[in-house]
Amino acid sequence: MRSSLPTITEKMAVASNFPEPDQPLRAMYSALLAAYGTRQWWPADTPFEVILGAFLTQATAWRSVERSIANLRAAGLLTVEGIRTITEEALRKVIRPSGFVMRKAASIKTFVRFLDEHYCGSLEQMAKQTTAVLRPQLLALPGVGPETADAILLYALGHPVFVVDEYFRRVVTRHELLSANARYADMQSLGDRAIASTTREETARHGNELHALIVEVGKQHCGTVPRCEGCPLQPFLP
Ligand code: SF4
């Protein structure tokens, strides 16, 4: 990931399709962008690698996911065909660094079966499905909760949805934009409003960017114990 400050062009690219901040989260987004610059997310080379990462990262640190992804790469399994042909038992061994291998191997194999049955094994075909149809389909699969479904929709398939994760939950509740017991849908609605743009592609780009920036501020400042001193979002505290 880059850590340099954004160029003027990058700032203008965001501003050009983005109305003036009319809500706190949009203003916070601008502040994060000014502090950290545009991010390069998700850390993966292909849409299918994004999907594998979305399953593997559940309840697991990304460092462990990277080891599993490296194992999958070494075994030539970072493809739909690779996962289609490997047995579930063998897959468990390859993804062992990520933990919860019984559940994760089963979920990954089921996802590929679903892809084969509904979209002829084609992620391109799946991406063309409407969000309104595809999101419930994904949520009906074992091992796919809202965060995993939305990460697949946004980062692998380019759908304009916002991904809510623990970092986002921490930031918006500590800034009292929502209460601590807010539902995933309420959190997502807040994020969706902040990324709403003039086109589907722009909205997806802002969804990608805002989520990545929230993860960055979460890693640097807003962990289990907040370190507000020097945080780009400190001026927005209530
Ligand atoms: S560390 Fe403090 S200022 Fe920064 S996002 Fe968290 S609560 Fe806000």
Side-chain angles (χ1 to χ4, degrees):
M1 284 189 192
R2 293 183 331 173
S3 59
S4 58
L5 289 173
T7 64
I8 295 213
T9 307
E10 286 169 343
K11 286 183 184 172
M12 289 178 67
V14 168
S16 63
N17 279 293
F18 223 49
E20 283 298 301
D22 59 354
Q23 53 174 297
L25 190 53
R26 280 200 177 186
M28 290 161 72
Y29 176 20
S30 296
L32 289 173
L33 188 68
Y36 297 135
T38 53
R39 319 306 295 166
Q40 293 180 346
W41 257 53
W42 177 295
D45 293 334
T46 66
F48 190 62
E49 189 179 326
V50 170
I51 291 167
L52 293 174
F55 281 107
L56 294 173
T57 197
Q58 293 170 349
T60 304
W62 188 254
R63 283 188 303 281
S64 303
V65 176
E66 286 175 334
R67 286 164 52 211
S68 290
I69 293 283
N71 288 350
L72 288 162
R73 181 172 284 111
L77 294 171
L78 284 178
T79 62
V80 173
E81 177 61 17
I83 296 297
R84 190 184 288 129
T85 50
I86 191 173
T87 65
E88 199 169 307
E89 187 181 7
L91 180 58
R92 280 184 219 134
K93 292 184 182 139
V94 180
I95 64 170
R96 191 176 304 284
S98 303
F100 306 101
V101 294
M102 297 286 286
R103 174 166 59 79
K104 290 180 182 177
S107 299
I108 290 168
K109 289 289 286 182
T110 302
F111 174 84
V112 168
R113 275 196 294 277
F114 164 77
L115 183 67
D116 286 343
E117 285 166 15
H118 289 77
Y119 297 102
C120 303
S122 164
L123 288 178
E124 291 77 15
Q125 202 169 314
M126 178 186 266
K128 289 178 188 159
Q129 180 59 276
T130 63
T131 309
V133 170
L134 185 51
R135 191 170 189 271
Q137 285 182 334
L138 291 173
L139 286 171
L141 296 174
V144 180
E147 184 181 339
T148 302
D150 291 330
I152 291 171
L153 284 165
L154 175 66
Y155 286 107
L157 306 175
H159 283 233
V161 297
F162 186 75
V163 181
V164 174
D165 65 0
E166 188 53 31
Y167 288 123
F168 185 74
R169 183 174 288 275
R170 275 190 202 135
V171 169
V172 299
T173 57
R174 285 172 179 167
H175 285 257
E176 298 181 8
L177 302 184
L178 283 172
S179 65
N181 59 359
R183 299 170 309 145
Y184 185 98
D186 298 327
M187 295 269 170
Q188 186 174 46
S189 175
L190 179 71
D192 280 341
R193 288 198 302 279
I195 65 172
S197 196
T198 49
T199 66
R200 172 187 164 96
E201 290 72 25
E202 280 299 303
T203 301
R205 188 168 72 79
H206 287 302
N208 182 323
E209 199 65 71
L210 177 57
H211 179 242
L213 288 165
I214 291 283
V215 170
E216 192 62 25
V217 78
K219 283 184 185 166
Q220 293 198 24
H221 291 277
C222 208
T224 313
V225 177
R227 290 182 290 110
C228 301
E229 190 63 37
C231 175
L233 298 185
Q234 192 177 20
F236 299 90
L237 279 171

